Amino acid sequence: GGVRMNPFQIDIPVKVLFGAGQLNRLHEQALPGKKALIVISSGKSTRANGYLDRTEKELAAAGAATEVFAGIQANPTLESVGKGAQAARAMGADMIVALGGGSVMDAAKAIALMAVNEGNLWDYVGSGTGKGQKYAHRALPVIAITTTAGTGSEVDATSVITNQETHEKIGLKFPDLYPCLAIVDPELMLTVPPRLTAFQGFDALFHSLETYVNRKANLMSDMVASTAIRNIGAFLPRAVAQGDDVEARTHMAFANTLSGYAMVLGGCTSEHSLEHAMSAYHEALPHGAGLIMLSLAYFGWMADHHVCDDRLVDLARFLGRKDASRPEEFLEALASLQKACGVDGLKMSEYGITPEEFPKMAENATTAMKGLFLNDRMALTREDCVAVYQKAYR
């Protein structure tokens, strides 16, 4: 109905180079600085696959000196952001280059902020135990080179960081955290293993599904989210089954970047808060996996409460059920996509999550990540949150 008429604002100042082979154009770009700290994960893949070497050569050809900071975990921590900022200051970096997936890009943004500002990142975090202070200096410019199709972080201004001491996983959002340049090159994604491809693809999918049911949904976010969802439904099973399928990887990369736009135009709902609470206590849990575990119970709650039946029917159609007329058909389509990607058997218990934790997690979700609950069309109580966790539990 009338919800599509919500106003919207677009202010996404990121230059995006999209397509196979686009990393090779980095040296032609006008860079925002002369000394780059390249931020990569603590894993081996960026080096083993030659992406780091290629990035260093491109930056050297553009006249920039580089150093590497390789300390970023799957859920980037406050501590590693502090170490990265120290490394940036020590080399006198005037730009940060993120080479990796969402975790690396999120960490790079926070490092860019803390390289030039005093104190601790949590001084500037606006929710949970953060102090919500204003920072004095604009963050260093960030170049984001994404090696996964998962978070859309290359085109948004958000950085999600975990404070291990307080068990808070919180997103910061500041306009100067937008990367100035993003390179989305599907060739860098061909080496992502099938399981991670699925987790990351579903993360992108939920960004767009949640944006579509967000109460702030508008004409523009609908266009972007629905296109992303269609691409993921059609191409994610192919990318999982055949990692070197460049066409499938390109469509997934496109859907992922669109999902980044979707979050800027609309945003996630409380499903993301519920997942962040799970991985805040269980850091080994991949974000995409947690979302998959919750999804049928979460969207099932929406269907049971008739929160937005027409929107769920739309989602079923975007996932290929052309004649869908019932919200339950979306749940069926979502379940069969999970099956097609081999992630239908995920269990919370395998990651050490126990039902005794659900009240604590519900409290964490509704405090540390309370902002996303404001995007829901119908408010979930703490009891509702616990009920979703219980229904999702295996």
Side-chain angles (χ1 to χ4, degrees):
V3 73
R4 291 187 176 86
M5 307 307 288
N6 276 338
F8 64 84
Q9 173 180 332
I10 305 180
D11 50 4
I12 305 170
V14 187
K15 176 178 181 177
V16 180
L17 302 180
F18 180 95
Q22 289 298 295
L23 177 58
N24 307 331
R25 289 189 54 208
L26 175 56
H27 71 277
E28 302 165 12
Q29 308 307 307
L31 299 182
K34 286 281 177 210
K35 284 186 172 179
L37 181 71
I38 304 175
V39 178
I40 63 175
S41 83
S42 47
K44 300 186 176 63
S45 58
T46 345
R47 285 199 167 101
N49 295 317
Y51 307 150
L52 177 60
D53 189 48
R54 288 174 58 193
T55 301
E56 288 173 321
K57 287 196 170 84
E58 287 287 325
L59 290 165
T66 58
E67 283 186 26
V68 176
F69 178 75
I72 306 304
Q73 332 51 4
N75 283 305
T77 63
L78 180 59
E79 188 187 10
S80 59
V81 167
K83 287 181 180 160
Q86 235 172 328
R89 283 196 290 271
M91 80 167 287
D94 53 12
M95 59 178 166
I96 307 291
V97 175
L99 174 65
S103 310
V104 167
M105 293 187 283
D106 281 15
K109 293 173 189 175
I111 288 168
L113 182 70
M114 294 314 298
V116 290
N117 284 291
E118 295 299 306
N120 172 318
L121 182 70
W122 237 245
D123 295 338
Y124 309 114
V125 165
S127 60
T129 62
K131 294 190 181 141
Q133 295 171 5
K134 296 267 180 283
Y135 54 89
H137 305 286
R138 197 184 157 83
L140 294 178
V142 173
I143 295 175
I145 305 168
T146 179
T147 58
T148 66
T151 66
S153 197
E154 67 276 9
V155 291
D156 75 27
T158 303
S159 164
V160 178
I161 304 296
T162 298
N163 182 335
Q164 290 173 302
E165 281 179 20
T166 60
H167 292 293
E168 290 171 299
K169 187 175 169 188
I170 294 184
L172 301 100
K173 195 173 182 179
F174 299 121
D176 49 324
L177 297 188
Y178 277 111
C180 59
L181 172 66
I183 295 178
V184 184
D185 184 341
E187 286 179 0
L188 305 184
M189 304 173 187
L190 301 178
T191 50
V192 180
R195 199 155 177 83
L196 282 178
T197 298
F199 291 166
Q200 292 157 359
F202 272 97
D203 185 20
L205 177 66
F206 292 122
H207 290 164
S208 283
L209 293 175
E210 291 173 41
T211 291
Y212 198 77
V213 298
N214 184 328
R215 67 187 183 88
K216 295 188 296 209
N218 54 70
L219 291 165
M220 189 75 183
S221 70
D222 281 0
M223 179 187 82
V224 169
S226 62
T227 304
I229 294 162
R230 286 191 177 102
N231 275 275
I232 293 168
F235 290 98
L236 181 57
R238 274 176 56 180
V240 171
Q242 188 77 43
D244 58 1
D245 181 336
V246 178
E247 186 190 15
R249 292 289 191 183
T250 300
H251 280 273
M252 281 306 302
F254 178 55
N256 169 55
T257 298
L258 283 186
S259 292
Y261 286 122
M263 278 188 292
V264 176
L265 289 158
C268 295
T269 62
S270 58
E271 182 186 25
H272 259 70
S273 302
L274 294 174
E275 196 295 317
H276 283 318
M278 288 160 66
S279 49
Y281 290 102
H282 298 271
E283 285 174 35
L285 174 67
H287 178 54
L291 290 166
I292 292 165
M293 292 171 189
L294 286 172
S295 57
L296 293 169
Y298 180 82
F299 287 102
W301 181 90
M302 280 192 179
D304 292 344
H305 291 78
H306 302 289
V307 175
C308 53
D309 287 354
D310 55 336
R311 294 243 136 191
L312 295 183
V313 170
D314 288 344
L315 294 178
R317 292 177 178 173
F318 302 155
L319 286 179
R321 309 253 167 152
K322 295 196 179 31
D323 304 318
S325 59
R326 296 176 299 113
E328 291 72 28
E329 288 173 90
F330 164 58
L331 300 175
E332 292 160 15
L334 185 56
S336 64
L337 182 61
Q338 290 175 10
K339 199 169 179 158
C341 296
V343 292
D344 51 325
L346 294 176
K347 295 184 175 73
M348 285 191 203
S349 52
E350 282 172 11
Y351 287 89
I353 296 170
T354 64
E356 291 74 49
E357 296 177 89
F358 295 157
K360 171 182 82 173
M361 286 179 184
E363 185 184 352
N364 182 295
T366 52
T367 53
M369 293 293 292
K370 66 175 181 290
L372 299 182
F373 282 83
L374 303 175
N375 293 336
D376 293 339
R377 295 183 180 224
M378 182 173 162
L380 282 90
T381 63
R382 285 227 179 135
E383 293 71 36
D384 290 325
C385 294
V386 170
V388 169
Y389 284 135
Q390 281 167 339
K391 194 172 176 193
Y393 185 76
R394 286 196 291 206

